[in-house]
Amino acid sequence: MATTVIVRFRARSGRGADLLSWLSANQPGLRAFRGFERIALHRDVADPDHVIEIEEWARADDHRAMVEEVAARGGWDALEALLEREPETTYLEHVVSLAT
């Protein structure tokens, strides 16, 4: 079953644009990982240092494997320098939808 992954980022004060730039530049690399389906970035209108990434993966374990692989290569170092705190990740399963 597909998994929606919500990642909440808190950029250091005034670094929201830099965070968005880094995330946007690195998103295409996710296509190389098993189970990746899609990703979208969102920014809080009232707080531009709060960025939310919504990802779709075939399985939660696919996402976890990607995070571990990137960490093993030191791929998160530049991202961590932009963050005030560690990102918060939530794994969701789809239950029901409503559309117009």
Side-chain angles (χ1 to χ4, degrees):
M1 171 180 282
T3 299
T4 299
V5 182
I6 308 295
V7 185
R8 292 169 189 83
F9 298 96
R10 165 61 60 191
R12 294 183 187 273
S13 182
R15 301 292 306 268
D18 296 329
L19 175 59
L20 280 173
S21 178
W22 189 93
L23 291 169
S24 295
N26 285 277
Q27 283 182 344
L30 293 175
R31 291 185 181 117
F33 291 94
R34 184 178 60 145
F36 172 77
E37 295 178 3
R38 70 184 55 86
I39 190 167
L41 284 175
H42 302 267
R43 181 170 47 191
D44 186 326
V45 173
D47 181 1
D49 292 331
H50 182 210
V51 176
I52 297 173
E53 199 169 63
I54 301 175
E55 306 176 28
E56 297 290 334
W57 290 80
R59 301 173 320 127
D61 286 344
D62 293 333
H63 180 266
R64 289 184 187 106
M66 176 276 297
V67 170
E68 289 177 16
E69 185 176 327
V70 172
R73 295 188 311 229
W76 300 127
D77 295 347
L79 173 63
E80 289 171 359
L82 297 170
L83 299 178
E84 183 177 286
R85 61 178 172 258
E86 195 168 315
E88 298 174 26
T89 303
T90 304
Y91 295 92
L92 304 171
E93 67 179 37
H94 183 80
V95 177
V96 66
S97 296
L98 174 65
T100 57

